[in-house]
Amino acid sequence: MPAKKSSCDKGFLLRIDAATMATIEQWAADEFRSVNGQLQWIINDAIKRHRRKKATITPE
């Protein structure tokens, strides 16, 4: 069963070169994530590292 999307999720198109996409696909597979999930993780990690957003604990 697919996860429920919250009403605040937004989509966007992303152009990325083939070599980078292949790297992300392999990284996602290594961590048992979808490519979309991996990209979300990469973006959130970068935001936290650059102190643009405080780390929050998400309820499960």
Side-chain angles (χ1 to χ4, degrees), residues 38-54:
Q38 189 69 24
L39 288 169
Q40 288 177 327
W41 182 86
I42 291 167
I43 292 166
N44 284 329
D45 186 58
I47 289 169
K48 284 184 238 173
R49 285 183 188 203
H50 292 277
R51 299 181 183 149
R52 300 291 181 176
K53 175 175 126 179
K54 291 183 180 178

mmCIF file of all heavy atoms in Angstrom, residues 38-54:
data_model
loop_
_atom_site.group_PDB
_atom_site.id
_atom_site.type_symbol
_atom_site.label_atom_id
_atom_site.label_comp_id
_atom_site.label_asym_id
_atom_site.label_seq_id
_atom_site.Cartn_x
_atom_site.Cartn_y
_atom_site.Cartn_z
ATOM 1 N N GLN A 38 15.466 8.826 -1.882
ATOM 2 C CA GLN A 38 16.882 9.166 -1.762
ATOM 3 C C GLN A 38 17.102 10.651 -2.012
ATOM 4 O O GLN A 38 17.847 11.308 -1.284
ATOM 5 C CB GLN A 38 17.721 8.337 -2.731
ATOM 6 C CG GLN A 38 19.209 8.469 -2.520
ATOM 7 C CD GLN A 38 19.663 7.839 -1.214
ATOM 8 O OE1 GLN A 38 19.014 6.945 -0.673
ATOM 9 N NE2 GLN A 38 20.783 8.279 -0.701
ATOM 10 N N LEU A 39 16.450 11.194 -3.048
ATOM 11 C CA LEU A 39 16.587 12.630 -3.330
ATOM 12 C C LEU A 39 16.044 13.470 -2.185
ATOM 13 O O LEU A 39 16.663 14.477 -1.796
ATOM 14 C CB LEU A 39 15.888 12.979 -4.644
ATOM 15 C CG LEU A 39 16.587 12.473 -5.897
ATOM 16 C CD1 LEU A 39 15.688 12.632 -7.113
ATOM 17 C CD2 LEU A 39 17.915 13.180 -6.116
ATOM 18 N N GLN A 40 14.919 13.053 -1.594
ATOM 19 C CA GLN A 40 14.387 13.784 -0.442
ATOM 20 C C GLN A 40 15.378 13.741 0.718
ATOM 21 O O GLN A 40 15.612 14.746 1.393
ATOM 22 C CB GLN A 40 13.043 13.196 -0.010
ATOM 23 C CG GLN A 40 11.927 13.508 -0.971
ATOM 24 C CD GLN A 40 10.625 12.855 -0.564
ATOM 25 O OE1 GLN A 40 10.604 11.750 0.009
ATOM 26 N NE2 GLN A 40 9.534 13.522 -0.866
ATOM 27 N N TRP A 41 15.991 12.579 0.950
ATOM 28 C CA TRP A 41 16.965 12.453 2.032
ATOM 29 C C TRP A 41 18.185 13.352 1.780
ATOM 30 O O TRP A 41 18.657 14.038 2.687
ATOM 31 C CB TRP A 41 17.403 10.991 2.168
ATOM 32 C CG TRP A 41 18.371 10.814 3.293
ATOM 33 C CD1 TRP A 41 18.073 10.617 4.610
ATOM 34 C CD2 TRP A 41 19.800 10.865 3.192
ATOM 35 N NE1 TRP A 41 19.238 10.524 5.334
ATOM 36 C CE2 TRP A 41 20.320 10.678 4.486
ATOM 37 C CE3 TRP A 41 20.682 11.044 2.142
ATOM 38 C CZ2 TRP A 41 21.681 10.665 4.758
ATOM 39 C CZ3 TRP A 41 22.035 11.026 2.416
ATOM 40 C CH2 TRP A 41 22.523 10.842 3.706
ATOM 41 N N ILE A 42 18.686 13.345 0.534
ATOM 42 C CA ILE A 42 19.853 14.164 0.184
ATOM 43 C C ILE A 42 19.546 15.645 0.406
ATOM 44 O O ILE A 42 20.355 16.383 0.993
ATOM 45 C CB ILE A 42 20.278 13.912 -1.276
ATOM 46 C CG1 ILE A 42 20.860 12.506 -1.437
ATOM 47 C CG2 ILE A 42 21.284 14.961 -1.747
ATOM 48 C CD1 ILE A 42 21.018 12.054 -2.886
ATOM 49 N N ILE A 43 18.386 16.089 -0.034
ATOM 50 C CA ILE A 43 18.005 17.494 0.111
ATOM 51 C C ILE A 43 17.861 17.856 1.585
ATOM 52 O O ILE A 43 18.390 18.878 2.044
ATOM 53 C CB ILE A 43 16.715 17.793 -0.674
ATOM 54 C CG1 ILE A 43 16.988 17.694 -2.181
ATOM 55 C CG2 ILE A 43 16.161 19.170 -0.302
ATOM 56 C CD1 ILE A 43 15.745 17.648 -3.040
ATOM 57 N N ASN A 44 17.153 17.021 2.361
ATOM 58 C CA ASN A 44 16.980 17.306 3.790
ATOM 59 C C ASN A 44 18.307 17.315 4.532
ATOM 60 O O ASN A 44 18.540 18.150 5.406
ATOM 61 C CB ASN A 44 16.017 16.308 4.427
ATOM 62 C CG ASN A 44 14.578 16.588 4.078
ATOM 63 O OD1 ASN A 44 14.192 17.740 3.882
ATOM 64 N ND2 ASN A 44 13.783 15.552 3.972
ATOM 65 N N ASP A 45 19.204 16.400 4.171
ATOM 66 C CA ASP A 45 20.523 16.348 4.805
ATOM 67 C C ASP A 45 21.318 17.622 4.496
ATOM 68 O O ASP A 45 21.956 18.192 5.384
ATOM 69 C CB ASP A 45 21.280 15.109 4.328
ATOM 70 C CG ASP A 45 22.600 14.926 5.054
ATOM 71 O OD1 ASP A 45 22.595 14.829 6.294
ATOM 72 O OD2 ASP A 45 23.645 14.897 4.368
ATOM 73 N N ALA A 46 21.269 18.067 3.252
ATOM 74 C CA ALA A 46 21.985 19.294 2.874
ATOM 75 C C ALA A 46 21.427 20.509 3.616
ATOM 76 O O ALA A 46 22.183 21.373 4.072
ATOM 77 C CB ALA A 46 21.895 19.513 1.363
ATOM 78 N N ILE A 47 20.108 20.562 3.751
ATOM 79 C CA ILE A 47 19.480 21.678 4.470
ATOM 80 C C ILE A 47 19.948 21.696 5.923
ATOM 81 O O ILE A 47 20.306 22.745 6.461
ATOM 82 C CB ILE A 47 17.945 21.584 4.374
ATOM 83 C CG1 ILE A 47 17.490 21.907 2.946
ATOM 84 C CG2 ILE A 47 17.270 22.527 5.372
ATOM 85 C CD1 ILE A 47 16.036 21.593 2.676
ATOM 86 N N LYS A 48 19.951 20.532 6.565
ATOM 87 C CA LYS A 48 20.404 20.455 7.962
ATOM 88 C C LYS A 48 21.879 20.816 8.100
ATOM 89 O O LYS A 48 22.264 21.548 9.011
ATOM 90 C CB LYS A 48 20.168 19.051 8.515
ATOM 91 C CG LYS A 48 18.727 18.775 8.849
ATOM 92 C CD LYS A 48 18.604 17.418 9.485
ATOM 93 C CE LYS A 48 17.655 16.576 8.671
ATOM 94 N NZ LYS A 48 17.573 15.201 9.086
ATOM 95 N N ARG A 49 22.713 20.313 7.182
ATOM 96 C CA ARG A 49 24.154 20.592 7.252
ATOM 97 C C ARG A 49 24.464 22.076 7.103
ATOM 98 O O ARG A 49 25.434 22.569 7.678
ATOM 99 C CB ARG A 49 24.900 19.825 6.161
ATOM 100 C CG ARG A 49 25.043 18.378 6.437
ATOM 101 C CD ARG A 49 25.854 17.749 5.357
ATOM 102 N NE ARG A 49 25.850 16.309 5.508
ATOM 103 C CZ ARG A 49 26.793 15.542 5.011
ATOM 104 N NH1 ARG A 49 27.777 16.057 4.318
ATOM 105 N NH2 ARG A 49 26.731 14.248 5.181
ATOM 106 N N HIS A 50 23.680 22.750 6.311
ATOM 107 C CA HIS A 50 23.918 24.174 6.087
ATOM 108 C C HIS A 50 23.083 25.047 7.009
ATOM 109 O O HIS A 50 22.977 26.251 6.812
ATOM 110 C CB HIS A 50 23.663 24.522 4.616
ATOM 111 C CG HIS A 50 24.681 23.894 3.725
ATOM 112 N ND1 HIS A 50 25.911 24.453 3.497
ATOM 113 C CD2 HIS A 50 24.666 22.723 3.042
ATOM 114 C CE1 HIS A 50 26.604 23.657 2.682
ATOM 115 N NE2 HIS A 50 25.881 22.599 2.407
ATOM 116 N N ARG A 51 22.515 24.396 8.011
ATOM 117 C CA ARG A 51 21.763 25.063 9.077
ATOM 118 C C ARG A 51 20.654 25.966 8.550
ATOM 119 O O ARG A 51 20.443 27.060 9.065
ATOM 120 C CB ARG A 51 22.718 25.824 9.985
ATOM 121 C CG ARG A 51 23.699 24.897 10.645
ATOM 122 C CD ARG A 51 24.628 25.617 11.562
ATOM 123 N NE ARG A 51 25.570 24.627 12.086
ATOM 124 C CZ ARG A 51 26.806 24.899 12.407
ATOM 125 N NH1 ARG A 51 27.263 26.119 12.283
ATOM 126 N NH2 ARG A 51 27.595 23.971 12.862
ATOM 127 N N ARG A 52 19.981 25.509 7.528
ATOM 128 C CA ARG A 52 18.848 26.246 6.969
ATOM 129 C C ARG A 52 17.552 25.850 7.654
ATOM 130 O O ARG A 52 16.569 26.540 7.576
ATOM 131 C CB ARG A 52 18.708 25.995 5.468
ATOM 132 C CG ARG A 52 19.919 26.408 4.687
ATOM 133 C CD ARG A 52 20.059 27.894 4.691
ATOM 134 N NE ARG A 52 21.226 28.273 3.913
ATOM 135 C CZ ARG A 52 21.564 29.512 3.678
ATOM 136 N NH1 ARG A 52 20.843 30.496 4.157
ATOM 137 N NH2 ARG A 52 22.620 29.785 2.974
ATOM 138 N N LYS A 53 17.567 24.703 8.323
ATOM 139 C CA LYS A 53 16.383 24.213 8.992
ATOM 140 C C LYS A 53 16.847 23.379 10.179
ATOM 141 O O LYS A 53 17.781 22.600 10.066
ATOM 142 C CB LYS A 53 15.577 23.355 8.033
ATOM 143 C CG LYS A 53 14.372 22.667 8.595
ATOM 144 C CD LYS A 53 13.621 21.970 7.479
ATOM 145 C CE LYS A 53 13.415 20.520 7.797
ATOM 146 N NZ LYS A 53 12.675 19.816 6.760
ATOM 147 N N LYS A 54 16.178 23.536 11.304
ATOM 148 C CA LYS A 54 16.521 22.729 12.463
ATOM 149 C C LYS A 54 16.037 21.305 12.251
ATOM 150 O O LYS A 54 15.006 21.074 11.638
ATOM 151 C CB LYS A 54 15.866 23.308 13.711
ATOM 152 C CG LYS A 54 16.445 24.630 14.113
ATOM 153 C CD LYS A 54 15.829 25.129 15.379
ATOM 154 C CE LYS A 54 16.444 26.459 15.744
ATOM 155 N NZ LYS A 54 15.883 27.052 16.929
#
